[in-house]
Amino acid sequence: MANKLGIFPASGGLGGSTLKHLLELVPAKEVVLVARRPGKLSKEKAAGAIIRKADYDNAETLDHAFDGISSLNLISYASIQNEHRFKVHKSAIDAARKSGVKHIFYSSLAFAGDGNLNTKAQVMLAHIATEKYLAELHAQDPQFTYTVVREGLYSESFPLYTAFFDLKAPSNEICIPHDGSAPGLAWAKQDELGEATAKLIAQHAQDPAAFPYLNKTILLSGPRAWSLKETADVFSRVLNKPIKIRQVSVDEYVKQPQVQNGLTYGGGNWAPLWATAFDGIRDGECAVVTPNLARLLGREPEQFETTIKNMLSA
């Protein structure tokens, strides 16, 4: 049962993409999928994968959830609550090490550039704390290794950065605490990030000692950075409707109904904290472009405009 490859949480967006592509690279019986809602993984179970239930918010469920796994892809907990987010990450990492996990692929976020440990974005703080914790554990026990995968900002997550702009009910302007100018965001398609992450996991499993990203950070970015104005221009072209960026204060941004009603941690009471993301964008934290995603995919990543067109027609 030892030396399995694990993913937790395995039933979300990035986890779902990663497992789909991982199962194209390794036999299902070598994979352990850990999820809060294991019922969503019935197809993978039928294919031979081992399915287990665990929940970041219930530490007891993490005990033995990672037994038999040698390499675990730990995907971050979705929250902007820095302290709680790091606490649950630490609990999962500690449980994994107790279960004998030897290597952790931590799916981080592409703020703070290519391995930088300084950020202005609240959303990145727990990621950086987690990255530092993994490095500390390796320093204490060199037999334990890790890879930080800074996943590019999903093209599909554009609403978080555009005041919840809605392609199906578009407004004429996007009111954000940013003037729309460069530096921008190196948007990347979520499924391609999952595919690249799966290839890293499989590459490491084949020959851990020769893996080039042991105890390192790899940034997976889209093929170019798009300023927020250029992002709005894409919406204009795809929708055949003029859409502009209007810079507003953080207070004005937060009070917008669509921001208040946002269904993610970028909306409602969390909106003022989320607005610090625009400070990070302004500082160029999200504009770093690397060839890593293209190299792992073996092709040019999908352009942001193509993804948006496909989202509109879906």
Side-chain angles (χ1 to χ4, degrees):
M1 173 74 189
N3 299 322
K4 303 283 187 185
L5 307 177
I7 300 176
F8 171 70
S11 60
L14 181 62
S17 290
T18 303
L19 76 86
K20 177 183 75 174
H21 292 288
L22 186 61
L23 292 177
E24 294 168 353
L25 300 171
V26 302
K29 61 184 172 64
E30 293 182 13
V31 177
V32 179
L33 303 174
V34 186
R36 185 173 56 174
R37 297 187 180 91
K40 294 172 73 174
L41 299 169
S42 56
K43 184 177 77 172
E44 290 76 13
K45 183 177 182 179
I50 297 162
I51 312 298
R52 295 180 186 155
K53 182 175 182 176
D55 185 345
Y56 264 129
D57 283 317
N58 185 346
E60 289 181 3
T61 65
L62 299 172
D63 291 341
H64 304 295
F66 309 116
D67 286 1
I69 296 172
S70 61
S71 172
L72 173 67
N73 177 205
L74 185 71
I75 298 167
S76 63
Y77 176 85
S79 173
I80 199 170
Q81 295 172 271
N82 174 35
E83 293 81 6
H84 179 67
R85 193 181 204 187
F86 173 63
K87 179 183 174 184
V88 298
H89 287 172
K90 182 177 182 297
S91 295
I93 291 166
D94 292 346
R97 295 198 69 222
K98 192 174 177 183
S99 285
V101 171
K102 296 174 184 147
H103 186 87
I104 288 179
F105 282 91
Y106 175 61
S107 288
S108 184
L109 185 65
F111 272 83
D114 192 1
N116 196 320
L117 295 177
N118 296 305
T119 183
K120 288 187 174 179
Q122 171 78 18
V123 70
M124 190 63 189
L125 292 176
H127 287 296
I128 288 174
T130 305
E131 293 176 12
K132 287 180 177 178
Y133 185 57
L134 289 167
E136 288 168 12
L137 291 175
H138 170 68
Q140 294 164 12
D141 176 12
Q143 297 303 307
F144 169 75
T145 58
Y146 68 92
T147 301
V148 171
V149 184
R150 285 198 174 168
E151 308 278 2
L153 301 188
Y154 309 156
S155 300
E156 299 88 342
S157 74
F158 72 80
L160 284 168
Y161 306 93
T162 56
F164 294 90
F165 183 80
D166 187 348
L167 289 173
K168 301 294 173 75
S171 54
N172 293 318
E173 61 181 11
I174 294 168
C175 299
I176 52 176
H178 192 290
D179 66 5
S181 62
L185 304 88
W187 299 114
K189 185 181 179 182
Q190 186 184 61
D191 189 64
E192 291 188 334
L193 293 169
E195 181 180 347
T197 302
K199 288 186 173 182
L200 287 169
I201 294 167
Q203 182 185 353
H204 172 266
Q206 195 167 26
D207 190 353
F211 186 63
Y213 298 104
L214 285 179
N215 314 309
K216 293 180 180 176
T217 295
I218 176 170
L219 172 65
L220 303 180
S221 78
R224 57 159 286 197
W226 300 74
S227 72
L228 286 164
K229 180 188 179 299
E230 289 173 326
T231 298
D233 289 344
V234 167
F235 301 153
S236 295
R237 287 194 295 273
V238 169
L239 296 165
N240 195 26
K241 169 180 178 164
I243 296 157
K244 64 177 184 178
I245 298 282
R246 180 162 71 87
Q247 185 169 16
V248 297
S249 68
V250 171
D251 283 346
E252 288 177 90
Y253 165 75
V254 167
K255 287 174 183 173
Q256 296 175 93
Q258 76 275 20
V259 174
Q260 280 296 307
N261 296 328
L263 298 178
T264 71
Y265 53 76
N269 294 333
W270 301 114
L273 280 178
W274 177 259
T276 59
F278 295 101
D279 297 324
I281 294 167
R282 194 175 288 110
D283 262 19
E285 291 188 30
C286 307
V288 180
V289 174
T290 73
N292 297 324
L293 182 60
R295 180 176 49 78
L296 286 163
L297 294 175
R299 63 181 187 273
E300 274 301 298
E302 185 170 288
Q303 287 285 350
F304 176 66
E305 188 157 346
T306 302
T307 306
I308 298 303
K309 284 178 182 173
N310 292 338
M311 288 177 71
L312 185 64
S313 61

